[in-house]
Amino acid sequence: MKHVLFGAAAFVCATAANAQSWDMPTPYGDSTFHTQNIAQFADDVRAATDNGLDITLHSAGSLFPHAEIKGAVRNRQVPIGEFFLSRLSNEDLAYGVDSQPFVATSYEDAQRLWAAQEPVITELLAEQGLLPLFSVPWPAQGLYTNGEIATVDDLNGLRFRAYNAALEEFATLAGAAPVQVEASNIPQAFSTGQVDAMITSPSTGVNSTAWDFVTHYTPINAWVPKNIVVVNQRLFDGLDADTQEAVLAAAEAAEARGWEMSAAEADSMTAALADNGITVYEPSAELIEGLQAIGETMLGTWDAAASDSARTVLNAYNN
Ligand code: PCA
């Protein structure tokens, strides 16, 4: 008996000695479904490895600001991290196709776009020693304002919260004044008068209690942008084979679960906006036509600047 107990204790010590702890930054807060999804991913990895790989989340930009997360994974300051994929469009427009207005507007489109995008960006990220693990979309993006917006002209002069270059361009072409604000700073940006309108998902609207600062929401469903989780390839390669397999299996499950969570939130969070007093209205045909015209202009600009990789993504998606 003594011998057996000793054996068990030795086993526990051996496991602990090999155990690894990974820090995982994300820009988004704990109530965000993406954060809940990656928390489940971390739980799955812990369970599958008998606590051999313990991933600790650092939400709401608490470890690294959004703009630094990709670089931190690349430089091995952290092994793994999550960020908004299209923020990398300044490196290559292939990363930003999901944020071009009216290119992919439904989950079906978004799935096809991700299928076209994944092999291309996997290659681009590999050049930086990064391995993408999974990508999950936000619900389609809608318009939050004070008062109803009937046409693009009504956006003229508004201070518009933006989260990437494409949205900045979109707002500018609509005659609005874009201001970059991270998702976790939205309530403060509105309450201090820095911004007075935004385009984001119903999820982010609810997570930032949009009813405290806007009265109206319309689901223009103009694009379906994604988050991505990447790991440093060299640190991943340093894991033993079983742990690598556990990470990849948990990543595959997280991608499938995340897409389902997103689709569920598209409905439930739009309902929650209305329940909290926001007027949810269908966009007018004129508004959509005006916004689509802006999308066309943006696509022209995109086309003039697109790399071969970016073209490969758009061609594969369109064909
Ligand atoms: N929420 C994030 C990105 C897109 C979205 O729906 C944000 O607003 O920053």
Side-chain angles (χ1 to χ4, degrees):
M1 189 62 192
K2 235 178 176 173
H3 182 76
V4 170
L5 279 178
F6 178 74
F11 174 74
V12 168
C13 287
T15 305
N18 292 330
Q20 295 213 38
S21 293
W22 278 10
D23 288 312
M24 178 173 187
T26 177
Y28 303 104
D30 292 329
S31 56
T32 308
F33 77 92
H34 286 279
T35 309
Q36 289 158 1
N37 190 37
I38 59 176
Q40 182 66 53
F41 163 75
D43 284 347
D44 288 352
V45 170
R46 262 189 298 275
T49 61
D50 279 330
N51 295 318
L53 181 56
D54 183 14
I55 299 174
T56 304
L57 297 189
H58 299 270
S59 59
S62 55
L63 191 58
F64 287 98
H66 197 168
E68 289 174 23
I69 292 177
K70 192 215 73 175
V73 180
R74 186 180 181 182
N75 300 331
R76 295 191 292 282
Q77 289 167 284
V78 283
I80 188 169
E82 181 185 48
F83 52 86
F84 194 57
L85 177 61
S86 58
R87 284 185 66 116
L88 303 188
S89 65
N90 63 336
E91 294 182 17
D92 194 304
L93 289 175
Y95 293 113
V97 186
D98 68 15
S99 294
Q100 286 296 126
F102 301 104
V103 169
T105 59
S106 65
Y107 283 105
E108 292 71 26
D109 289 352
Q111 279 280 4
R112 283 195 304 112
L113 177 55
W114 178 226
Q117 207 177 17
E118 186 177 15
V120 174
I121 65 148
T122 297
E123 227 172 82
L124 291 173
L125 289 168
E127 288 167 14
Q128 303 188 32
L130 297 170
L131 173 69
L133 286 181
F134 58 95
S135 183
V136 171
W138 294 87
Q141 306 289 287
L143 175 63
Y144 296 77
T145 53
N146 278 303
E148 187 167 330
I149 299 296
T151 70
V152 170
D153 284 348
D154 293 343
L155 298 172
N156 199 45
L158 293 181
R159 282 182 299 265
F160 218 94
R161 182 259 167 170
Y163 52 58
N164 67 3
L167 183 46
E168 206 168 301
E169 189 183 355
F170 192 74
T172 304
L173 288 168
V179 183
Q180 291 287 339
V181 176
E182 281 302 320
S184 11
N185 298 332
I186 290 173
Q188 199 197 354
F190 275 91
S191 69
T192 59
Q194 230 192 324
V195 295
D196 37 33
M198 65 179 173
I199 289 179
T200 187
S201 57
S203 302
T204 298
V206 170
N207 294 158
S208 52
T209 58
W211 45 88
D212 289 343
F213 44 80
V214 292
T215 56
H216 283 66
Y217 173 77
T218 187
I220 56 170
N221 295 345
W223 58 93
V224 182
K226 297 182 294 293
N227 280 2
I228 192 161
V229 171
V230 302
V231 65
N232 182 283
Q233 182 78 56
R234 206 158 105 191
L235 295 175
F236 179 80
D237 291 344
L239 299 171
D240 64 54
D242 286 350
T243 307
Q244 288 184 9
E245 228 170 85
V247 170
L248 295 178
E252 201 181 320
E255 181 158 301
R257 183 177 59 240
W259 283 72
E260 278 170 21
M261 292 171 92
S262 182
E265 286 220 346
D267 294 333
S268 66
M269 294 294 145
T270 303
L273 291 172
D275 288 349
N276 283 284
I278 289 189
T279 304
V280 177
Y281 63 103
E282 281 305 311
S284 69
E286 278 143 285
L287 176 61
I288 290 297
E289 277 160 28
L291 295 176
Q292 280 172 341
I294 293 175
E296 284 296 316
T297 304
M298 287 178 63
L299 212 51
T301 310
W302 187 95
D303 194 55
S307 65
D308 289 348
S309 302
R311 278 177 213 293
T312 304
V313 173
L314 195 61
N315 290 341
Y317 171 67
N318 283 332
N319 291 314

